[in-house]
Amino acid sequence: MAAAPPSLLSLCLDAVAADLTAGAAGGRRAGGCRRGDFEGVGGEDGEGGHLTIAPEEVADALPWELLHQLASRLPPAALESLHHAAHDRCCPSAATAVGFGVSDCDRRGIKRSRCEDFNTAWQALFRLRWPLYCNAAHDSLVTVDWQQKYWEKHLQECLDEAVESALLPSFYGNIDELTISAKIMGYILHSEDIPQHYSKLSYHCSKFGCYARCLRLQSVLCTAEISALLKCSKLETLMFVRIISELEASGVCMLLSCHAETLLSIEFIHCKLSPAVMDRICNSACQKEPLNHGIQNFSIKSSSICEKSNPLTISAGLLDFLSLGKSLRLLSLSDTKMQPSFAKLIVHTLLESSSGIQTLEITENNIAGWLKTVEKRSVCFSSALESNICLNSLTVLNLRGNNLSNGDIEDLCNVLVKMPDLRDLDISDNPIKDEGIRLLICFISRTFQKEKSLWKFRAENCDLSNIGVTELLKCLSSVSKPLNLLSIADNHLGSSFAAALAEFLGSGVRELNVEDIGLGPLGFQILEEALPSEVALSHINVSKNRGGIRAAHFVSRLIRQAPGLLSVNAGSNLLPPESLEIICNALKPNTCDLERLNLMGNNHLSNAVFPAAQEFRKHGKQILIVPSQQGPCAPYDDDP
Ligand SMILES: *[C@@H]1O[C@H](CO)[C@@H](O)[C@H](O)[C@H]1NC(C)=O
Ligand SMILES: *[C@@H]1O[C@H](CO)[C@@H](O)[C@H](O)[C@H]1NC(C)=O
Ligand SMILES: *[C@@H]1O[C@H](CO)[C@@H](O)[C@H](O)[C@H]1NC(C)=O
């Protein structure tokens, strides 16, 4: 079938688009770091002497409707030029305000909204280049500035590519002289001839740096050059990766002090931050007069913050930083080889400074005995613990993987009472045993008498027994305000625990993780038989419990009796092939909200066993996730 012949209008637009595209690819280098202005110079181009139309002329000549049709035909670099020309026409800056253009804004009383209409074109370009990222991150209703997102992500790709070249042993020379690959250049120019200066990293930093709010910078990029190139950016979030040397640390400090006014979030990953370096970093992130900082989130992951030779030295700069920032909301120190005494000092500092912190994470740090350690230096702090000062705003406390034992929990309870608004506590991966959980039960039952009680509680892999956890569930069920989320995964509770669990399912809990607690077939049978007639669950994880066919019966009963159920994970339960039919029979009435039923890791199941299983869908996605026919080793495919 022959396509309809193109209209004269679309031929004209194609011709103008081609001309603007060629102009963008061959134009002259524009200086300065004004937002946008990709090159925007019309007239004779440097090399060929070919005449191209200036974006300004196009923006002036065409009505908005045609400009938008034109926009959808342009590559990013050309759209950038047109966008700025159109923006100047719509909302001239003070310098060009006299004369044309003013009316277009004011007469219609819609100001910039016309220009923002290019947002659709930008979004289409973003989707074209990063199709997966789009769906994952921007399903919400928030208005996204796609032009900003586009160039921010483009710049991040340029930086990441530059790191790869800069890390090669053969690399000498300047970071900013590094060139961007033809592949990336192709995305923005839609052309193979790329003028040399366009492909320099420095060009991209100075051109698109103004769009960057959030950047991830690796070791070699933390230099004075990059800092200078990004000086016009309004950076809000900086993530630093592998900062090891003094030189790199100096680069970090330069970037931080340059952006201290706009920065909201700083993160370090795989870095070596000695106390002296940390002092400098914290100092750089502060604004000087008055001494303060606006950082909301500060996190350090998988990095060392102590010196091997002198592990007890701690950064006074960091403590000052914590006590200074009235804006600090989140502090996360994960896998930092922190000493127990440091952890204690952090809590004391936050208490003393009446911090407004909301989330405190000290995880993977082996701080056993932290609250016991009384050192000379911290004597003056002990008053904070004994006084009435509270961390009134703290709602999330995560102490995962710190090798805390039951003795530590006793001391922890003295700190927990200073967190009256705590809603979310994670104590997982600490060997606290039943003695530890009993101490926490005392604390938890007290919080339930308050206005705001505990909402989420995780005690995974804590060496708990059936006895201790049964006591916990009794406490949790006895109160009027139900816990929203409970995870007791990876504790060996056994089948005899099932009766208490079934009763607890009637408490109103929404999210439950009982992965790998040794329920076995008997446990699932008890659960099924004792399941309350109405269960409020939304999410449950019963994976790795070796339940066999009884697990399938439990799941099908649960689907019938939990009308709000959204997701079930019954993976790795040795389900036999006939399980699929049992579960699908429960799904058939199709009255439930279930979106996802994960049955991975049950090697006797596959799509082939019961083909009807594939027909159950919610929002276009398959509900049942079963191992594929290739066998147990096939990769886990989330998005069919
Ligand atoms: C800080 O962290 C919180 C929790 O992870 C997040 O919701 C928030 O967006 C972050 N803020 C900034 C400025 O990055
Ligand atoms: C955990 O803490 C105990 C003291 O409570 C200590 O003896 C043990 O070595 C620590 N474990 C690890 C892995 O460091
Ligand atoms: C549930 O189980 C799976 C293993 O099958 C695990 O990877 C996942 O993290 C668990 N979900 C939650 C919410 O902990």
Side-chain angles (χ1 to χ4, degrees), residues 24-25 38-39 74-82 122 151 187-189 208:
F38 189 82
E39 47 79 39
L74 296 176
L79 179 59
E80 181 69 11
S81 304
L82 182 68
W122 284 114
W151 293 122
Y187 284 127
I188 66 168
L189 293 175
F208 307 119

Side-chain angles (χ1 to χ4, degrees), residues 237 264-265 296-297 330:
T237 296
L264 300 172
S265 175
Q296 296 175 1
N297 292 1
L330 175 144

Side-chain angles (χ1 to χ4, degrees), residues 347-355 380-381 383-385 387 389 391:
V347 172
H348 283 201
T349 305
L350 293 173
L351 268 171
E352 289 259 295
S353 62
S354 352
S355 163
C380 56
F381 282 103
S383 57
L385 262 188
S387 71
I389 316 173
L391 282 173

